Amino acid sequence: MNVTINQEGNKYNVILEGRVDTSNAAQFEQDLKPLMEASNAEIQIDCSGMTYTSSQGLRYFLMLQKHVMSHQGSLVLCNMQPQVKEVFDITGFSNIIKIV
């Protein structure tokens, strides 16, 4: 898994590549830390390179969504692979997090 974050003011463009699962969950949480510390952040995560997410990965996406909402920001996941989008749909996460 690889996470790249580009920041311009309160706008964060994130590129996520690879699998998000229990083997790298701690690293994923660490990678998201700058986003969790931001207020009024506009976060867009490009998921075109994300090939899989486990329940642990979903948990961190949910934590990020809750933080963003409580700090008057926005979170959008985009370019999601069909097999990953299906996981978000089945679990109901696509009703909680904006996916385009």
Side-chain angles (χ1 to χ4, degrees):
M1 180 207 51
N2 186 41
V3 178
T4 305
I5 300 174
N6 298 306
Q7 178 186 0
E8 290 183 30
N10 69 333
K11 294 182 181 183
Y12 295 82
N13 291 310
V14 181
I15 300 170
L16 182 57
E17 299 173 310
R19 296 172 56 91
V20 180
D21 56 30
T22 54
S23 69
N24 57 26
Q27 182 61 50
F28 188 52
E29 180 180 24
Q30 189 66 28
D31 291 340
L32 294 180
K33 197 170 192 164
L35 305 175
M36 297 292 277
E37 295 172 349
S39 293
N40 301 319
E42 296 177 27
I43 302 167
Q44 179 174 311
I45 302 179
D46 182 343
C47 298
S48 60
M50 182 171 66
T51 57
Y52 174 82
T53 187
S54 68
S55 59
Q56 191 74 10
L58 290 173
R59 178 176 174 263
Y60 291 122
F61 282 114
L62 182 60
M63 287 172 45
L64 180 59
Q65 175 65 23
K66 286 181 177 183
H67 171 82
V68 166
M69 288 178 60
S70 68
H71 290 86
Q72 292 74 44
S74 64
L75 173 64
V76 176
L77 306 181
C78 62
N79 304 320
M80 197 172 279
Q81 298 291 329
Q83 71 274 16
V84 177
K85 173 83 166 58
E86 184 177 13
V87 172
F88 277 76
D89 290 343
I90 289 170
T91 58
F93 277 65
S94 56
N95 296 322
I96 299 169
I97 301 170
K98 183 175 182 181
I99 301 173
V100 295

